[in-house]
Amino acid sequence: MGQSRSNKILLQAIAVELRKLRKERGLSQIDVYIDTDIHIGRIEQGRTNISVSTLSDICDYYGLSLRDFFHDLNYDK
């Protein structure tokens, strides 16, 4: 098996957007964990290489499509 690939700039942009979405909804990291069983704190630090499946689950939880999530993402390569 090869090494996992990671794009730190993209991961940080995802982390910032997820933190913003959570705070806009008035949720704590504990709230998200209780509701989804996802450790959002690790993801919001931008150090975890989040899977597309996990991101999709989080977007569903926030009532957002992946398309909308990436459309609003502030990411410059």
Coordinates of all heavy atoms in Angstrom, one line a residue:
M1 N 0.8 -1.2 0.0 CA 0.0 0.0 0.0 C 0.9 1.2 0.0 O 1.9 1.3 0.7 CB -0.9 0.0 1.3 CG -2.1 -0.9 1.2 SD -3.5 0.1 0.7 CE -4.2 -1.0 -0.4
G2 N 0.4 2.2 -0.8 CA 1.2 3.5 -0.8 C 0.8 4.4 0.3 O -0.1 4.2 1.0
Q3 N 1.5 5.5 0.4 CA 1.3 6.5 1.4 C 0.0 7.3 1.0 O -0.3 7.5 -0.1 CB 2.4 7.5 1.4 CG 3.3 7.3 2.5 CD 4.4 8.4 2.6 OE1 4.7 9.0 1.5 NE2 4.9 8.7 3.7
S4 N -0.7 7.8 2.0 CA -1.8 8.6 1.8 C -1.4 10.0 1.3 O -0.4 10.5 1.8 CB -2.5 8.8 3.2 OG -3.6 9.7 3.1
R5 N -2.2 10.5 0.3 CA -1.8 11.8 -0.2 C -2.6 12.9 0.6 O -3.7 12.6 1.0 CB -2.2 11.8 -1.7 CG -1.3 10.9 -2.5 CD -1.6 11.0 -3.9 NE -1.2 12.4 -4.3 CZ -1.0 12.8 -5.5 NH1 -1.2 11.9 -6.5 NH2 -0.7 14.0 -5.8
S6 N -2.0 14.0 0.6 CA -2.7 15.1 1.4 C -2.3 16.5 0.8 O -1.1 16.7 0.4 CB -2.2 15.0 2.8 OG -2.3 16.2 3.5
N7 N -3.2 17.4 0.6 CA -3.0 18.7 0.2 C -3.3 19.6 1.3 O -4.5 19.9 1.6 CB -3.9 19.0 -1.0 CG -3.8 20.4 -1.6 OD1 -3.6 21.3 -0.8 ND2 -4.0 20.5 -2.9
K8 N -2.3 20.1 2.0 CA -2.5 20.9 3.2 C -3.3 22.2 3.0 O -4.1 22.6 3.9 CB -1.1 21.2 3.9 CG -0.5 19.9 4.4 CD 0.9 20.2 5.0 CE 1.5 18.9 5.4 NZ 2.5 18.9 6.3
I9 N -3.1 22.8 1.9 CA -3.8 24.1 1.6 C -5.3 23.7 1.5 O -6.2 24.4 2.0 CB -3.3 24.8 0.3 CG1 -1.9 25.2 0.6 CG2 -4.2 25.9 0.0 CD1 -1.1 25.7 -0.6
L10 N -5.7 22.7 0.7 CA -7.1 22.3 0.6 C -7.7 21.9 1.9 O -8.8 22.2 2.2 CB -7.2 21.2 -0.5 CG -8.6 20.6 -0.7 CD1 -9.6 21.7 -1.1 CD2 -8.5 19.5 -1.7
L11 N -6.9 21.0 2.6 CA -7.4 20.6 3.9 C -7.7 21.8 4.9 O -8.7 21.8 5.6 CB -6.5 19.6 4.6 CG -6.3 18.2 3.9 CD1 -5.3 17.4 4.6 CD2 -7.7 17.5 3.9
Q12 N -6.9 22.8 4.8 CA -7.1 23.9 5.7 C -8.3 24.7 5.2 O -9.1 25.2 6.1 CB -5.8 24.8 5.7 CG -5.9 25.9 6.8 CD -6.0 25.3 8.2 OE1 -5.3 24.4 8.5 NE2 -6.8 25.9 9.0
A13 N -8.5 24.8 3.9 CA -9.7 25.5 3.4 C -11.0 24.8 3.8 O -12.0 25.4 4.2 CB -9.6 25.7 1.9
I14 N -10.9 23.5 3.7 CA -12.1 22.7 4.1 C -12.3 22.9 5.6 O -13.5 23.0 6.1 CB -11.9 21.2 3.8 CG1 -11.9 21.0 2.3 CG2 -12.9 20.3 4.5 CD1 -11.5 19.6 1.8
A15 N -11.3 22.9 6.4 CA -11.4 23.0 7.9 C -12.0 24.4 8.2 O -12.9 24.4 9.0 CB -10.0 22.9 8.5
V16 N -11.6 25.4 7.6 CA -12.1 26.8 7.8 C -13.6 26.8 7.5 O -14.4 27.3 8.2 CB -11.3 27.8 7.0 CG1 -12.1 29.2 7.0 CG2 -9.9 28.0 7.6
E17 N -14.0 26.2 6.3 CA -15.4 26.2 5.9 C -16.3 25.4 6.8 O -17.4 25.8 7.2 CB -15.5 25.7 4.5 CG -16.9 25.8 3.9 CD -17.4 27.2 3.7 OE1 -16.6 28.2 3.6 OE2 -18.6 27.4 3.5
L18 N -15.8 24.3 7.3 CA -16.6 23.4 8.2 C -16.7 24.1 9.5 O -17.8 24.1 10.1 CB -15.9 22.1 8.4 CG -16.0 21.1 7.2 CD1 -15.2 19.9 7.4 CD2 -17.5 20.8 6.8
R19 N -15.7 24.8 10.0 CA -15.8 25.5 11.3 C -16.8 26.7 11.1 O -17.7 26.9 12.0 CB -14.4 26.1 11.7 CG -14.4 26.7 13.0 CD -13.0 27.2 13.4 NE -11.9 26.2 13.1 CZ -11.0 26.4 12.2 NH1 -10.9 27.6 11.5 NH2 -10.1 25.5 11.9
K20 N -16.8 27.4 10.0 CA -17.7 28.4 9.8 C -19.2 27.9 9.7 O -20.1 28.5 10.4 CB -17.4 29.1 8.4 CG -18.3 30.3 8.1 CD -18.0 30.9 6.7 CE -18.9 30.2 5.7 NZ -18.9 30.7 4.4
L21 N -19.4 26.8 9.0 CA -20.8 26.2 9.0 C -21.3 25.8 10.3 O -22.4 26.1 10.7 CB -20.8 25.0 8.0 CG -20.6 25.3 6.5 CD1 -20.3 24.0 5.8 CD2 -21.8 26.0 6.0
R22 N -20.4 25.2 11.1 CA -20.8 24.8 12.5 C -21.2 26.0 13.3 O -22.2 26.0 14.0 CB -19.7 24.0 13.1 CG -20.0 23.5 14.5 CD -18.9 22.7 15.1 NE -17.6 23.3 15.2 CZ -17.3 24.3 16.1 NH1 -18.1 24.7 17.0 NH2 -16.1 24.8 16.0
K23 N -20.3 27.0 13.3 CA -20.6 28.2 14.2 C -21.8 28.9 13.7 O -22.6 29.4 14.5 CB -19.4 29.1 14.2 CG -18.2 28.4 15.0 CD -17.0 29.3 15.1 CE -16.0 28.7 16.0 NZ -14.9 29.6 16.3
E24 N -22.1 29.0 12.4 CA -23.3 29.7 11.9 C -24.5 29.0 12.4 O -25.6 29.7 12.6 CB -23.3 29.6 10.3 CG -22.3 30.6 9.7 CD -22.3 30.4 8.2 OE1 -22.9 29.5 7.6 OE2 -21.6 31.3 7.5
R25 N -24.4 27.7 12.6 CA -25.6 27.0 13.1 C -25.7 26.9 14.6 O -26.6 26.3 15.2 CB -25.6 25.5 12.5 CG -26.0 25.6 11.1 CD -25.4 24.4 10.3 NE -25.9 24.4 8.9 CZ -25.4 25.1 7.9 NH1 -24.4 26.0 8.2 NH2 -25.8 25.1 6.7
G26 N -24.7 27.5 15.3 CA -24.7 27.6 16.8 C -24.4 26.3 17.4 O -24.9 26.0 18.5
L27 N -23.6 25.4 16.8 CA -23.3 24.1 17.3 C -21.9 24.0 17.9 O -21.0 24.7 17.4 CB -23.4 23.1 16.2 CG -24.8 22.9 15.5 CD1 -24.7 22.1 14.2 CD2 -25.8 22.2 16.5
S28 N -21.8 23.2 18.9 CA -20.4 23.0 19.4 C -19.9 21.7 18.7 O -20.6 21.0 18.1 CB -20.5 22.7 20.9 OG -21.1 21.5 21.2
Q29 N -18.6 21.5 18.9 CA -18.0 20.3 18.3 C -18.6 19.1 19.0 O -18.8 18.0 18.3 CB -16.5 20.3 18.5 CG -15.8 21.3 17.7 CD -14.3 21.4 17.9 OE1 -13.8 20.8 18.9 NE2 -13.6 22.1 17.1
I30 N -19.0 19.2 20.3 CA -19.6 18.0 21.0 C -21.0 17.8 20.4 O -21.3 16.6 20.2 CB -19.8 18.4 22.5 CG1 -18.4 18.6 23.1 CG2 -20.5 17.3 23.2 CD1 -17.7 17.5 23.6
D31 N -21.7 18.8 20.1 CA -23.1 18.6 19.4 C -22.9 17.8 18.1 O -23.7 16.9 17.9 CB -23.7 20.0 19.1 CG -24.1 20.8 20.3 OD1 -24.4 20.2 21.3 OD2 -24.1 22.1 20.1
V32 N -22.0 18.2 17.3 CA -21.8 17.5 16.0 C -21.4 16.1 16.3 O -21.9 15.2 15.6 CB -20.7 18.3 15.2 CG1 -20.4 17.5 13.9 CG2 -21.2 19.7 14.8
Y33 N -20.5 15.8 17.2 CA -20.0 14.5 17.5 C -21.2 13.6 18.0 O -21.4 12.5 17.6 CB -18.9 14.5 18.6 CG -18.5 13.1 19.0 CD1 -17.9 12.2 18.1 CD2 -18.9 12.6 20.2 CE1 -17.5 11.0 18.4 CE2 -18.5 11.3 20.6 CZ -17.9 10.5 19.7 OH -17.5 9.2 20.0
I34 N -22.0 14.2 18.9 CA -23.2 13.4 19.4 C -24.1 13.1 18.3 O -24.7 12.0 18.2 CB -23.9 14.2 20.6 CG1 -23.0 14.2 21.8 CG2 -25.3 13.6 20.9 CD1 -23.5 15.2 22.9
D35 N -24.4 14.0 17.4 CA -25.3 13.8 16.3 C -24.8 12.9 15.2 O -25.6 12.3 14.5 CB -25.8 15.2 15.8 CG -26.6 16.0 16.7 OD1 -27.1 15.4 17.7 OD2 -26.7 17.2 16.5
T36 N -23.5 13.0 15.0 CA -23.0 12.3 13.8 C -22.0 11.2 14.1 O -21.6 10.4 13.2 CB -22.3 13.3 12.8 OG1 -21.1 13.8 13.5 CG2 -23.2 14.4 12.4
D37 N -21.4 11.2 15.3 CA -20.3 10.3 15.6 C -19.0 10.6 14.8 O -18.2 9.7 14.6 CB -20.7 8.8 15.4 CG -19.9 7.8 16.3 OD1 -19.5 8.2 17.4 OD2 -19.7 6.7 15.8
I38 N -18.9 11.8 14.4 CA -17.7 12.3 13.7 C -17.0 13.3 14.6 O -17.6 14.2 15.1 CB -18.1 13.0 12.3 CG1 -18.8 12.0 11.4 CG2 -16.9 13.6 11.7 CD1 -19.4 12.6 10.2
H39 N -15.7 13.1 14.8 CA -14.9 14.0 15.5 C -14.5 15.2 14.7 O -13.4 15.3 14.1 CB -13.6 13.3 16.0 CG -13.8 12.2 17.0 ND1 -13.9 12.5 18.3 CD2 -13.9 10.9 16.9 CE1 -14.1 11.4 19.0 NE2 -14.1 10.4 18.1
I40 N -15.4 16.2 14.7 CA -15.2 17.3 13.8 C -14.0 18.2 14.2 O -13.4 18.9 13.4 CB -16.6 18.2 13.8 CG1 -16.5 19.2 12.6 CG2 -16.8 18.9 15.1 CD1 -16.8 18.6 11.3
G41 N -13.7 18.1 15.5 CA -12.6 18.9 16.0 C -11.3 18.6 15.3 O -10.5 19.5 14.9
R42 N -11.0 17.3 15.1 CA -9.8 16.9 14.3 C -9.8 17.4 12.9 O -8.8 17.8 12.4 CB -9.7 15.4 14.3 CG -9.6 14.7 15.7 CD -9.6 13.2 15.6 NE -9.6 12.6 16.9 CZ -9.8 11.4 17.1 NH1 -10.0 10.5 16.1 NH2 -9.8 10.9 18.3
I43 N -11.0 17.4 12.3 CA -11.1 17.8 10.9 C -11.0 19.3 10.8 O -10.3 19.9 9.9 CB -12.5 17.4 10.3 CG1 -12.5 15.8 10.3 CG2 -12.7 18.0 9.0 CD1 -13.9 15.3 10.1
E44 N -11.6 20.1 11.8 CA -11.5 21.5 11.8 C -10.1 22.0 12.1 O -9.8 23.2 11.9 CB -12.5 22.1 12.8 CG -13.9 22.0 12.4 CD -14.9 22.6 13.4 OE1 -14.4 23.1 14.5 OE2 -16.1 22.6 13.1
Q45 N -9.2 21.2 12.5 CA -7.8 21.6 12.7 C -7.0 21.6 11.4 O -6.0 22.1 11.2 CB -7.1 20.7 13.7 CG -7.6 20.9 15.1 CD -6.9 19.8 16.0 OE1 -6.1 19.0 15.6 NE2 -7.3 19.9 17.3
G46 N -7.6 20.9 10.4 CA -7.0 20.9 9.0 C -5.8 19.9 9.0 O -5.1 19.9 8.0
R47 N -5.7 19.0 9.9 CA -4.6 18.0 9.9 C -5.1 16.6 9.5 O -4.2 15.8 9.3 CB -4.0 18.0 11.3 CG -3.4 19.3 11.8 CD -2.7 19.2 13.1 NE -2.4 20.5 13.6 CZ -2.4 20.8 14.9 NH1 -2.7 19.9 15.8 NH2 -2.2 22.0 15.3
T48 N -6.4 16.4 9.5 CA -6.9 15.1 9.1 C -7.3 15.1 7.7 O -8.0 16.0 7.2 CB -8.2 14.8 10.0 OG1 -7.8 14.8 11.3 CG2 -8.8 13.5 9.6
N49 N -6.8 14.1 6.9 CA -7.1 14.0 5.5 C -8.5 13.3 5.4 O -8.7 12.1 5.4 CB -6.1 13.1 4.8 CG -6.1 13.2 3.3 OD1 -6.9 14.0 2.8 ND2 -5.3 12.5 2.7
I50 N -9.6 14.2 5.4 CA -11.0 13.8 5.5 C -11.3 13.0 4.2 O -10.9 13.4 3.1 CB -11.9 15.0 5.7 CG1 -13.3 14.6 5.9 CG2 -11.7 16.1 4.6 CD1 -14.2 15.8 6.3
S51 N -12.1 12.0 4.4 CA -12.6 11.2 3.2 C -13.8 12.0 2.6 O -14.5 12.7 3.2 CB -13.0 9.8 3.6 OG -14.2 9.8 4.3
V52 N -14.0 11.7 1.3 CA -15.2 12.2 0.7 C -16.5 11.8 1.3 O -17.4 12.5 1.5 CB -15.2 11.9 -0.8 CG1 -16.5 12.3 -1.5 CG2 -14.0 12.5 -1.5
S53 N -16.5 10.5 1.8 CA -17.7 10.0 2.5 C -18.0 10.7 3.7 O -19.1 11.1 4.0 CB -17.5 8.5 2.8 OG -17.4 7.8 1.6
T54 N -16.9 11.0 4.5 CA -17.1 11.8 5.8 C -17.6 13.2 5.5 O -18.5 13.7 6.1 CB -15.8 11.8 6.6 OG1 -15.5 10.4 6.9 CG2 -16.0 12.6 7.9
L55 N -17.0 13.8 4.5 CA -17.4 15.2 4.1 C -18.8 15.2 3.7 O -19.6 16.1 4.0 CB -16.4 15.7 3.1 CG -16.7 17.2 2.6 CD1 -16.7 18.1 3.8 CD2 -15.7 17.6 1.6
S56 N -19.2 14.2 2.9 CA -20.6 14.1 2.4 C -21.6 14.0 3.6 O -22.6 14.6 3.7 CB -20.7 12.9 1.5 OG -22.1 12.8 1.1
D57 N -21.2 13.1 4.6 CA -22.0 13.0 5.8 C -22.2 14.3 6.6 O -23.2 14.6 7.0 CB -21.4 11.9 6.7 CG -21.6 10.5 6.2 OD1 -22.4 10.3 5.2 OD2 -20.9 9.6 6.7
I58 N -21.1 15.0 6.7 CA -21.1 16.3 7.4 C -22.0 17.3 6.6 O -22.8 18.0 7.2 CB -19.7 16.9 7.6 CG1 -18.9 15.9 8.6 CG2 -19.7 18.3 8.2 CD1 -17.4 16.2 8.6
C59 N -21.8 17.3 5.3 CA -22.6 18.2 4.5 C -24.1 17.9 4.6 O -24.9 18.8 4.7 CB -22.2 18.2 3.0 SG -20.6 19.1 2.7
D60 N -24.4 16.6 4.6 CA -25.8 16.2 4.8 C -26.3 16.7 6.1 O -27.5 17.2 6.2 CB -25.9 14.7 4.7 CG -25.8 14.1 3.3 OD1 -25.9 14.9 2.3 OD2 -25.6 12.9 3.2
Y61 N -25.5 16.6 7.2 CA -25.9 17.0 8.5 C -26.2 18.5 8.5 O -27.1 18.9 9.2 CB -24.8 16.7 9.5 CG -25.0 17.2 10.9 CD1 -25.9 16.6 11.7 CD2 -24.2 18.2 11.4 CE1 -26.1 17.1 13.0 CE2 -24.3 18.6 12.7 CZ -25.3 18.1 13.5 OH -25.5 18.5 14.8
Y62 N -25.4 19.3 7.8 CA -25.6 20.7 7.7 C -26.7 21.1 6.6 O -26.9 22.3 6.4 CB -24.3 21.4 7.4 CG -23.3 21.4 8.5 CD1 -22.0 21.3 8.3 CD2 -23.7 21.5 9.9 CE1 -21.0 21.2 9.3 CE2 -22.8 21.5 10.9 CZ -21.5 21.3 10.6 OH -20.5 21.3 11.6
G63 N -27.2 20.1 5.9 CA -28.3 20.4 4.9 C -27.7 21.1 3.7 O -28.3 22.0 3.1
L64 N -26.5 20.6 3.3 CA -25.8 21.2 2.2 C -25.3 20.1 1.3 O -24.9 19.0 1.7 CB -24.6 21.9 2.9 CG -23.6 22.8 2.1 CD1 -24.3 24.0 1.6 CD2 -22.5 23.2 3.0
S65 N -25.3 20.4 0.0 CA -24.7 19.4 -1.0 C -23.2 19.6 -1.1 O -22.7 20.6 -0.8 CB -25.3 19.6 -2.4 OG -24.9 20.8 -3.0
L66 N -22.5 18.5 -1.5 CA -21.1 18.7 -1.8 C -20.8 19.7 -2.8 O -19.8 20.5 -2.7 CB -20.5 17.3 -2.2 CG -20.3 16.3 -1.1 CD1 -19.9 15.0 -1.8 CD2 -19.2 16.7 -0.2
R67 N -21.6 19.8 -3.8 CA -21.5 20.8 -4.8 C -21.5 22.2 -4.2 O -20.6 23.1 -4.5 CB -22.6 20.7 -5.9 CG -22.5 21.8 -7.0 CD -23.7 21.7 -7.9 NE -23.7 20.4 -8.5 CZ -23.4 20.1 -9.8 NH1 -23.1 21.1 -10.6 NH2 -23.5 18.9 -10.3
D68 N -22.5 22.5 -3.4 CA -22.6 23.8 -2.7 C -21.4 24.0 -1.8 O -20.9 25.1 -1.7 CB -23.9 23.9 -2.0 CG -25.1 24.1 -2.9 OD1 -24.9 24.4 -4.1 OD2 -26.2 23.8 -2.4
F69 N -21.0 23.0 -1.1 CA -19.9 23.1 -0.2 C -18.6 23.6 -0.9 O -18.0 24.5 -0.6 CB -19.6 21.8 0.6 CG -18.4 21.9 1.5 CD1 -18.5 22.4 2.7 CD2 -17.1 21.5 1.0 CE1 -17.4 22.5 3.6 CE2 -16.0 21.6 1.9 CZ -16.1 22.1 3.1
F70 N -18.3 22.9 -2.0 CA -17.1 23.2 -2.8 C -17.3 24.5 -3.6 O -16.3 25.3 -3.8 CB -16.7 22.1 -3.7 CG -16.0 21.0 -2.9 CD1 -16.6 19.8 -2.7 CD2 -14.7 21.2 -2.5 CE1 -15.9 18.8 -2.0 CE2 -14.0 20.2 -1.7 CZ -14.7 19.0 -1.5
H71 N -18.5 24.9 -3.9 CA -18.7 26.1 -4.6 C -18.4 27.3 -3.7 O -17.8 28.3 -4.2 CB -20.2 26.2 -5.1 CG -20.5 27.5 -5.8 ND1 -21.0 28.6 -5.2 CD2 -20.3 27.8 -7.1 CE1 -21.1 29.6 -6.1 NE2 -20.8 29.1 -7.2
D72 N -18.7 27.2 -2.4 CA -18.5 28.3 -1.5 C -17.1 28.2 -0.8 O -16.7 29.1 -0.1 CB -19.5 28.2 -0.3 CG -20.9 28.5 -0.8 OD1 -21.0 29.1 -1.9 OD2 -21.9 28.0 -0.1
L73 N -16.3 27.2 -1.1 CA -15.0 27.0 -0.5 C -14.0 28.0 -1.1 O -13.9 28.2 -2.3 CB -14.5 25.6 -0.8 CG -13.2 25.1 -0.1 CD1 -13.6 24.9 1.4 CD2 -12.8 23.8 -0.6
N74 N -13.3 28.7 -0.2 CA -12.3 29.7 -0.5 C -10.9 28.9 -0.6 O -10.2 28.8 0.3 CB -12.2 30.8 0.5 CG -11.3 31.9 0.1 OD1 -10.8 31.9 -1.0 ND2 -10.9 32.7 1.1
Y75 N -10.6 28.5 -1.8 CA -9.4 27.7 -2.1 C -8.7 28.2 -3.3 O -9.2 28.1 -4.4 CB -9.8 26.2 -2.2 CG -8.7 25.3 -2.7 CD1 -7.6 25.1 -1.9 CD2 -8.8 24.7 -3.9 CE1 -6.6 24.2 -2.4 CE2 -7.8 23.8 -4.4 CZ -6.7 23.6 -3.6 OH -5.7 22.8 -4.0
D76 N -7.5 28.6 -3.1 CA -6.6 29.0 -4.2 C -5.4 28.1 -4.1 O -4.7 28.1 -3.1 CB -6.2 30.5 -4.1 CG -7.4 31.4 -4.3 OD1 -8.2 31.1 -5.2 OD2 -7.5 32.4 -3.6
K77 N -5.1 27.4 -5.2 CA -3.9 26.6 -5.3 C -2.7 27.3 -5.3 O -2.5 28.4 -5.8 CB -4.0 25.7 -6.6 CG -4.1 24.3 -6.3 CD -4.2 23.6 -7.6 CE -4.0 22.1 -7.3 NZ -4.0 21.3 -8.5

